[in-house]
Amino acid sequence: MDRYFPNFLEAYLQYTNKQESPEDYHRWTAFSIIGSALARKCWLHRGYYTLFPNTYIILVGESAWCRKTTAAEIGLKILARTNKVDILYEKITNAYLCKHLANAGIKSPTGDSSVVIYAPELANCLGKDAYQSGLISNLTSAYTCPENLENRTKTSGIDVIRNVCINFLGATTMEWMSQNLPGDAVEGGFTGRVVFVVKDIPKHREAWPELTKEEMTMKDMLISDLTKITSLKGEFKFTPEAKEIFKKWYDTAIEPEDVRLRPYYGRKGDHVLKVSMILSVCESSNLIVEARHIQSSLDNFEKIEEKMPHAFRGVAFSKTSKDCDRILRQIEKMGGEVQHSVLLKKNYHYVNSKEFEEVMKTLIDSDTVKPYQDGRRIMYKLIRKREKKIKEEVT
């Protein structure tokens, strides 16, 4: 199966190079559309369960600044042009999704109920009613691509959907996450299945981006290669070297300090393997995962994990936690140091002076913020990770 490009991902990043969005937005969008192309047709046996290369990816950033939706739509348009995948663009309800999946299974020659959900505005798909309607619960259950997914309804009893496969690509702001994602969404396991790609700075500014004839041809070639990827079928095999690298990482993996990231880290092994499969397919159709694919997958996750906690700022189990996250974000934006009176003034709409003292005490006691005196002024300084590590070694 000849393709135009020796590496689909590298070609895709070259094609999107002029666009302003951060490269990681394009990279993870590429992972999403490749996983969508593979759907349930390729897999990896994991002993007691089967792992498929489907992904739930959400691009997070400030509104309009990093062009989240633009980055995602470039990939979705290429995926749609293959005419081989079922993409849902509009607002999704639980009832509609389950009915659509059931119909997809009936129409599919393989019997697979596969669909791609694209949510350029996450609020339109995962609003507050998504928890009450059962949509979040079903998305959580569908992540593992079960052979049977049951949906209980008040009028129709139990609907059983066969051979489910959902790929999810969304975009949102940190403010929306803070205001709309409750702590029980974390505890319930949905966020552990999602890869949050957080960025706050565009790659560059491009006032008048124009595509050359060569780049337009390149787009057609990407569509052709992705179409060929949709025809792949079979089981992924891992080389002994790939298995060894994964085992070495897996055996030494540690839990994060932030409790809200523990569901994600608990599933990170599966995330790494999914992206490894995708990286293999970028280069070849042989469905063989080599050591470099595992290492590249780990490197890609390590790169985005630095800012991933920012997606959960304000997603808390208590009001105090929300206040702590907001104030930490404010200190960061002000360069890591701020005067007491300035910080208090920024927060008097949210907390009174007593509550503010409690929040600052929590941040100080947790070695997140350090107070110091500058003349007659009380100052707060953010303790960076490196400073924390040195302090722990000393003590």
Side-chain angles (χ1 to χ4, degrees), residues 333-351:
K333 286 186 175 181
M334 289 184 282
E337 292 186 66
V338 62
Q339 187 177 344
H340 170 89
S341 59
V342 173
L343 196 58
L344 179 58
K345 185 180 293 185
K346 278 185 169 290
N347 289 277
Y348 75 87
H349 288 298
Y350 304 99
V351 294

Side-chain angles (χ1 to χ4, degrees), residues 6 15 20 33 51 56 60 104 111 115 134 139 154 179 181 191 205 235 238 247 251 263 311-312 335 388 390 392:
Y15 169 69
E20 294 180 338
I33 64 173
L51 188 68
Y56 289 5
V60 184
V115 67
L139 285 175
K154 293 181 179 180
Q179 296 171 13
L181 197 65
T191 59
R205 305 289 284 174
E235 179 184 353
F238 281 57
K247 183 179 186 304
D251 290 346
F312 293 89
K388 279 188 180 183
I390 292 173
E392 289 170 358

Side-chain angles (χ1 to χ4, degrees), residues 59 64 129 218 238:
L59 311 181
D129 60 340
M218 191 176 191
F238 281 57

Side-chain angles (χ1 to χ4, degrees), residues 59-79:
L59 311 181
V60 184
E62 298 295 337
S63 180
W65 185 242
C66 288
R67 312 287 191 224
K68 306 177 296 296
T69 303
T70 303
E73 287 187 351
I74 291 172
L76 261 293
K77 287 178 180 177
I78 289 175
L79 180 65

Side-chain angles (χ1 to χ4, degrees), residues 242-313:
K243 289 182 177 180
E244 182 59 30
I245 287 181
F246 181 76
K247 183 179 186 304
K248 183 178 180 180
W249 166 80
Y250 193 84
D251 290 346
T252 57
I254 59 175
E255 288 191 356
E257 293 182 3
D258 193 327
V259 66
R260 296 166 299 185
L261 286 175
R262 286 180 180 172
Y264 158 77
Y265 273 88
R267 287 188 171 272
K268 184 178 175 181
D270 282 352
H271 289 313
V272 169
L273 292 175
K274 284 171 180 278
V275 172
S276 298
M277 290 187 272
I278 289 170
L279 287 167
S280 169
V281 167
C282 285
E283 296 180 359
S284 170
S285 300
N286 63 11
L287 302 185
I288 295 176
V289 177
E290 301 186 18
R292 66 177 182 277
H293 302 135
I294 294 286
Q295 189 58 58
S296 179
S297 179
L298 288 168
D299 292 343
N300 276 294
F301 278 101
E302 184 177 351
K303 185 178 179 183
I304 63 168
E305 282 168 359
E306 181 180 352
K307 291 189 176 181
M308 193 180 291
H310 294 192
F312 293 89
R313 291 246 168 119

Side-chain angles (χ1 to χ4, degrees), residues 223-236:
I223 293 168
S224 175
D225 280 2
L226 190 61
T227 303
K228 291 175 181 177
I229 289 174
T230 64
S231 66
L232 294 179
K233 297 178 182 179
E235 179 184 353
F236 279 96

